[in-house]
Structure formats: structure tokens, C-alpha cells
Amino acid sequence: MLTNINRTVLYIGVTSDLYSRLVEHREKHYLNSFTSKYNSCLCVYYESFPAIEEAIDREKQLKKWSRAKKEMLINKLNPQWNDLWEVVKEW
């Protein structure tokens, strides 16, 4: 999940290469995308799955959740809502 500096927007996506995808978001590679429009480049939550099909199913599930439920999930792993880019970029 990505958010903006004010933590007012949440974006959920799926990728097979989190590092590269985060670079694209941070550099606003796709200027007309949701993340570019709302400056959502801070990674505050992620999950890994052995198969892309599982990741897609989880993405669909999370997108149906309320904002409050998504925040609870983030707070469980990352209560300060720190940008996890520092962790991901070391992969």
C-alpha cells in the first residue's frame, strides 16, 4: 500500500517486482496514474506471495475493505507509517 506525505490517500496495487514498481511510482513514471496525481509514493505496507494469482486475489480483497480496516492492517505492521522504501531498496 502506498500513501502520500499527509497519509490521506491509500493506493493498493500488485506487482511481481516491488522494487522496480516503487521506483516507477517515486519517479512518477506514469504521469496520468493515480499515484502520480495524488503524490502517493510512500510504501507503508506490503505482502509477498509465492504465486501472482494469490497476490491478485489479495489485492482484490484489500480493495474492498474500508479505510479503517486498511489502516488497522498497516498499523499492525507499521504503526508509525514509515516509508518502507528503505527496506525494499536493500533487496
Side-chain angles (χ1 to χ4, degrees):
M1 279 189 229
L2 303 182
T3 192
N4 59 356
I5 192 116
N6 295 321
R7 309 323 196 243
T8 56
V9 174
L10 287 176
Y11 167 80
I12 298 172
V14 65
T15 182
S16 61
D17 184 352
L18 183 58
Y19 173 85
S20 296
R21 191 69 180 115
L22 287 178
V23 168
E24 290 176 347
H25 286 302
R26 294 173 84 82
E27 295 177 355
K28 297 185 179 180
H29 187 75
Y30 301 103
L31 294 176
N32 294 322
S33 69
F34 179 92
T35 55
S36 289
K37 182 176 179 181
Y38 293 99
N39 297 310
S40 302
C41 64
L42 305 175
C43 179
V44 292
Y45 182 84
Y46 64 86
E47 296 178 358
S48 298
F49 295 91
I52 192 66
E53 295 82 11
E54 293 174 63
I56 292 168
D57 288 344
R58 180 64 167 163
E59 175 196 27
K60 289 176 183 177
Q61 179 187 42
L62 292 175
K63 284 185 173 184
K64 292 178 184 176
W65 286 11
S66 68
R67 166 92 187 198
K69 194 169 178 181
K70 292 171 192 171
E71 287 180 357
M72 285 177 33
L73 184 63
I74 295 166
N75 289 332
K76 220 171 166 183
L77 171 78
N78 186 4
Q80 300 300 318
W81 286 46
N82 295 321
D83 185 7
L84 301 175
W85 169 246
E86 296 301 319
V87 175
V88 174
K89 76 177 187 180
E90 296 300 322
W91 293 358

